Amino acid sequence: MRHFAVVGSGPAGFYTAEALEKAYGGADSAGARIDILDRYPVPYGLIRFGVAPDHQSLKAVSKRYDKVAENAGVDFIGNVTVGRDVSVAELLELYDAVILATGAPHDRKLGIRGEDLPGVIGSAEFVGWYNGHPEFADLDPPLAGSHAAVVGAGNVALDCARILSKTRHEFEGSDIVGHALDALDRSAIRTVTILGRRGPHQVAMTPKELGELGHLEAAVPEVEPADFPPVEADEALDPGLRKSVTLLRGFADLERNKPKRIVFDFFAKPVAIEGDGRAERIIVERTLLDDSGAARGTGETYAVPAPLIITAIGYSTSPIADVPFEGGKFVNQNGRIGDRLFAVGWARRGPTGTIGTNRPDGYEVADQVAAALPPGSSDNRPGAEGLKPLLEQRGVMPTDYDDWRKIEETETGRARPGSPREKFVRHQDWLQAIGR
Ligand code: NAP
């Protein structure tokens, strides 16, 4: 019998567990036990805390992960922080292989003057706030001004701009947490400016997500036609990007007949954030693309007023003691970090791709594990039977999948009418729901 520890219960962790389970014995799971560890008492990582609450069809992928967790060979072990409660070296003693699927929960920094002023918020924090992440429940983003700026031309920037612009009515059926729904309902923001340091041909926004902006109840997207190259140039783009650019071009023709605006400001590179004790404006420099396609400043600057500035410029992984780390992710070769230690998902390749991208990633790493530790062999490591007493000695009380089901049932039971759940946003509330 082999024992595997998958650290992190987001998409990468669950696809890896699914692949390991298939590689080592299928339905009866005779060949391996797979433990999916998470620092929170609840599973699903990005699905719960990152995917937008008004994108319930994307969140529904967790049903597939439920099937994995319900498998006899797979256990969820929540409320355990690897690197604090147990080290990677200890896990490697207890398990045949350890796969780090810890995602990329930290915001990259702009590295400009004024970035630390109150009112400047990373997208991980803002998204965590409206998605009920316990670390950001008290974020209280400034929503009393009429303007907000979102830095970045990717899908997370779109999520943030859309959430800031929706009406209460448009959140029906979503699982946005109550505190965020009420605060957004009171928000005075009327203009959200999306700042892209390059142009429409360089956006990282996908068509479905862009298309949503054209159908909002109270907001209209705006673009400046002069920012676009001649329409013939779109022919050379990949089909997905071409669709996005076509949608963006179409925004120029929309009637501006709604109270809120989402303004796309392209070729605008942030150079400073200014304000008297808190953010009041972001200073941007006009750019041109150089021959390599990079944004080069022209020296022309202007101010965009914004007491709320959200940076949505990408994420990095949390380092873990004794695991080589560089450029915001674990140092690895095709997922292999070292002997019996692997990385998968965003912890392996950085924060790119869709949820589905993690599936082949997980299967590839599982193949490598199976090649190094052929099914049928064993080194008699104890797995959870060794981990659990160690955690108990350290006063750590893990949660299991049944605990999660109880938490889920309680969250479902306290949902607003029409909403799938009202998430707990405090660690102690999760534990209270399971009688701790
Ligand atoms: P992303 O797609 O990498 O976009 C990051 C954006 O930030 C880019 O436009 C980038 O511009 C810009 N940027 C980076 N550094 C900057 C700087 N110093 N100053 C100004 N702009 C800067 O990242 P993301 O939006 O965080 O998304 C992460 C991944 O999750 C992506 O794969 C995304 O598609 C996925 N996602 C998907 C969905 C969905 O499917 N509904 C929703 C959310 C996220 P440059 O191109 O110039 O570098």
Side-chain angles (χ1 to χ4, degrees):
M1 168 78 76
R2 291 290 183 184
H3 294 272
F4 300 118
V6 176
V7 182
S9 69
F14 265 100
Y15 286 123
T16 306
E18 179 186 275
L20 284 170
E21 196 274 322
K22 282 190 180 151
Y24 282 84
D28 65 353
S29 303
R33 293 205 66 84
I34 300 143
D35 293 332
I36 307 176
L37 279 63
D38 202 290
R39 65 185 166 136
Y40 295 114
V42 297
Y44 308 139
L46 182 88
I47 304 299
R48 181 178 171 102
F49 296 124
V51 171
D54 55 345
H55 284 171
Q56 287 298 312
S57 57
L58 284 180
K59 284 192 187 268
V61 73
S62 65
K63 300 225 166 16
R64 176 178 179 147
Y65 306 155
D66 282 336
K67 293 266 173 305
V68 177
E70 283 160 10
N71 202 290
V74 178
D75 279 321
F76 173 68
I77 304 182
N79 209 24
V80 176
T81 300
V82 172
R84 184 193 68 187
D85 300 332
V86 59
S87 69
V88 168
E90 286 168 328
L91 285 180
L92 283 166
E93 283 295 311
L94 297 167
Y95 287 88
D96 292 290
V98 176
I99 299 101
L100 303 177
T102 48
H106 301 298
D107 289 296
R108 282 193 195 136
K109 301 292 270 182
L110 279 169
I112 61 173
R113 175 168 56 86
E115 188 170 12
D116 294 328
L117 283 171
V120 185
I121 291 173
S123 56
E125 300 172 88
F126 185 64
V127 170
W129 171 72
Y130 62 65
N131 257 331
H133 194 298
E135 274 174 36
F136 308 117
D138 298 319
L139 185 70
D140 196 16
L143 303 171
S146 58
H147 286 64
V150 181
V151 181
N155 281 330
V156 173
L158 281 183
D159 279 348
C160 294
R162 188 183 68 255
I163 296 290
L164 283 171
S165 308
K166 276 196 162 180
T167 62
R168 188 176 193 98
H169 173 241
E170 287 173 295
F171 284 113
E172 271 173 22
S174 81
D175 66 349
I176 188 167
V177 291
H179 67 225
L181 181 64
D182 292 341
L184 289 165
D185 200 23
R186 292 191 301 268
S187 161
I189 292 170
R190 291 295 171 268
T191 303
V192 179
T193 304
I194 297 178
L195 296 165
R197 64 177 168 182
R198 299 192 289 158
H201 271 198
Q202 287 76 36
V203 294
M205 298 163 167
T206 45
K208 182 179 161 289
E209 285 63 32
L210 264 174
E212 283 177 79
L213 290 199
H215 305 284
L216 295 177
E217 206 169 80
V220 185
E222 293 179 17
V223 293
E224 174 53 62
D227 283 341
F228 289 78
V231 71
E232 303 78 56
D234 296 1
E235 295 295 316
L237 301 174
D238 288 344
L241 181 56
R242 197 185 319 149
K243 259 192 199 163
S244 291
V245 173
T246 304
L247 283 160
L248 280 166
R249 286 187 190 277
F251 291 165
D253 303 327
L254 294 177
E255 223 181 306
R256 296 181 182 178
N257 57 355
K258 296 178 186 170
K260 299 183 190 177
R261 313 159 65 208
I262 299 174
V263 178
F264 285 83
D265 193 353
F266 289 113
F267 301 106
K269 181 176 84 162
V271 289
I273 292 165
E274 294 178 348
D276 188 6
R278 53 178 311 114
E280 290 172 22
R281 69 198 83 86
I282 179 163
I283 310 299
V284 294
E285 182 179 13
R286 270 275 162 259
T287 63
L288 290 170
L289 295 188
D290 67 14
D291 290 344
S292 71
R296 289 279 167 262
T298 60
E300 178 197 343
T301 60
Y302 57 98
V304 176
L308 169 62
I309 297 166
I310 299 171
T311 59
I313 59 166
Y315 299 122
S316 61
T317 299
S318 289
I320 301 182
D322 301 326
V323 183
F325 185 85
E326 204 178 277
K329 57 185 199 274
F330 298 117
V331 179
N332 71 88
Q333 276 208 316
N334 300 325
R336 185 179 179 278
I337 299 174
D339 186 31
R340 299 186 292 112
L341 181 62
F342 299 85
V344 69
W346 283 5
R348 166 189 174 178
R349 56 174 210 281
T352 58
T354 63
I355 293 163
T357 314
N358 294 299
R359 188 172 184 275
D361 211 8
Y363 275 72
E364 194 190 324
V365 166
D367 281 349
Q368 290 193 50
V369 173
L373 305 164
S377 61
S378 168
D379 290 329
N380 296 319
R381 293 184 194 271
E385 277 184 29
L387 176 65
K388 288 195 175 154
L390 188 71
L391 292 174
E392 200 179 325
Q393 262 173 34
R394 293 174 184 175
V396 180
M397 293 180 54
T399 55
D400 62 19
Y401 186 70
D402 288 341
D403 292 329
W404 155 239
R405 288 323 283 256
K406 273 185 218 143
I407 294 170
E408 188 183 34
E409 211 176 291
T410 317
E411 289 185 337
T412 309
R414 64 202 283 272
R416 299 180 297 275
S419 170
R421 66 189 65 78
E422 183 62 50
K423 291 178 195 168
F424 290 118
V425 301
R426 309 270 171 207
H427 206 98
Q428 66 266 27
D429 290 339
W430 283 325
L431 298 182
Q432 208 176 343
I434 51 170
R436 296 256 180 99

